Amino acid sequence: MTISTFKRYEKKFLLNETQYQAIFPILLQHMCLDKFCKDEQEYTISNVYYDTDQSSIIRHSLSKPYYKEKLRLRSYSLINSPNCKVFLELKKKIGGVVTKRRAVLTLSEAYDFLEHGTRPQKCDYLDAQVLNEIAYFLKNNPVKPTTYISYDRKALFGRDDSDFRITFDHNIITRRDNVNIEKGRFGEYLLPPDQYLMEVKVANAFPVWLANLLSENQIYVTSYSKYGNEYKQSLLK
């Protein structure tokens, strides 16, 4: 089991196909493709978000508070065994700064912890700290697996700054039935397939060249949450 912590600012943008095709070659002049983009292809991410019966986690998030947090289970590959690797993540946003605490577990370890509070047998001090944070969240929020969200991603990182990342997500699909991550990828589209959600993730300010590139292509910051928009769409059904 391993642990990761990320702390950064995240800005989001919605792009059409023309805008995506216009900026991507220029991004490659300044950035490198993520290691998961094998042969320059996209990779698929699947998530299960945990929430209460009253959807209190996402409703609180949509109210745009100073502090908010979400719990999700994430996979970067097909889940076909209880021993497959998954990421249990507690994502927090405090005054615009995003912090993500993440532990890598097997699927069976994740379920044992989420459903029964059982810790993995091998657990060092740092691992224990993350699990303590998640356990505290679970104690105060009676959550269950609520929403499945999956998408294809292409990701880049800065040549001179690996903390500077840009991701493009599309083919975003969601469902509220059979939400277990091992059930596979199927559901309804959240965005049209020719739309991209771009996220810029930086520890400090945007590079000047990127700000100019976005302005030239009329790409502007937007407020967009995959889970938040899925929840709002679910209310219309």
Side-chain angles (χ1 to χ4, degrees), residues 12 49 51 55-70 91-93 223-229 231-232:
K12 300 180 181 181
Y49 286 83
D51 211 329
S55 300
S56 57
I57 303 299
I58 191 58
R59 288 193 292 108
H60 176 71
S61 177
L62 289 171
S63 71
K64 300 187 182 301
Y66 181 78
Y67 174 84
K68 59 185 178 181
E69 56 188 352
K70 298 176 186 175
K91 187 174 182 179
K92 305 178 182 183
K93 190 171 185 180
S223 177
Y224 192 92
S225 159
K226 297 185 189 79
Y227 183 27
N229 279 269
Y231 171 70
K232 287 187 284 188

Side-chain angles (χ1 to χ4, degrees), residues 63-193:
S63 71
K64 300 187 182 301
Y66 181 78
Y67 174 84
K68 59 185 178 181
E69 56 188 352
K70 298 176 186 175
L71 179 67
R72 68 188 176 198
L73 188 65
R74 167 171 285 192
S75 171
Y76 292 87
S77 60
L78 177 68
I79 300 295
N80 53 20
S81 162
N83 295 318
C84 285
K85 182 171 69 174
V86 294
F87 298 81
L88 186 59
E89 299 181 345
L90 186 62
K91 187 174 182 179
K92 305 178 182 183
K93 190 171 185 180
I94 308 171
V97 179
V98 176
T99 301
K100 184 165 66 176
R101 300 277 277 169
R102 178 165 82 175
V104 184
L105 309 164
T106 66
L107 181 64
S108 61
E109 287 175 334
Y111 281 161
D112 283 345
F113 178 67
L114 289 166
E115 296 171 7
H116 309 294
T118 304
R119 306 290 184 101
Q121 291 185 350
K122 296 182 179 179
C123 186
D124 62 24
Y125 175 78
L126 290 178
D127 296 333
Q129 290 305 302
V130 166
L131 292 181
N132 285 343
E133 288 186 36
I134 297 175
Y136 183 80
F137 174 90
L138 293 171
K139 179 181 178 181
N140 290 280
N141 300 279
V143 297
K144 65 181 183 181
T146 300
T147 303
Y148 174 93
I149 300 180
S150 180
Y151 39 88
D152 296 324
R153 168 170 287 186
K154 189 167 281 189
L156 307 99
F157 63 92
R159 294 182 186 274
D160 301 318
D161 180 6
S162 60
D163 290 329
F164 168 41
R165 288 175 53 82
I166 296 180
T167 60
F168 293 92
D169 298 338
H170 76 131
N171 293 329
I172 305 172
I173 59 172
T174 72
R175 65 176 187 264
R176 283 186 168 248
D177 297 317
N178 298 309
V179 297
N180 293 47
I181 204 166
E182 66 270 23
K183 296 291 185 180
R185 177 175 155 83
F186 62 91
E188 299 179 356
Y189 279 104
L190 185 62
L191 286 174

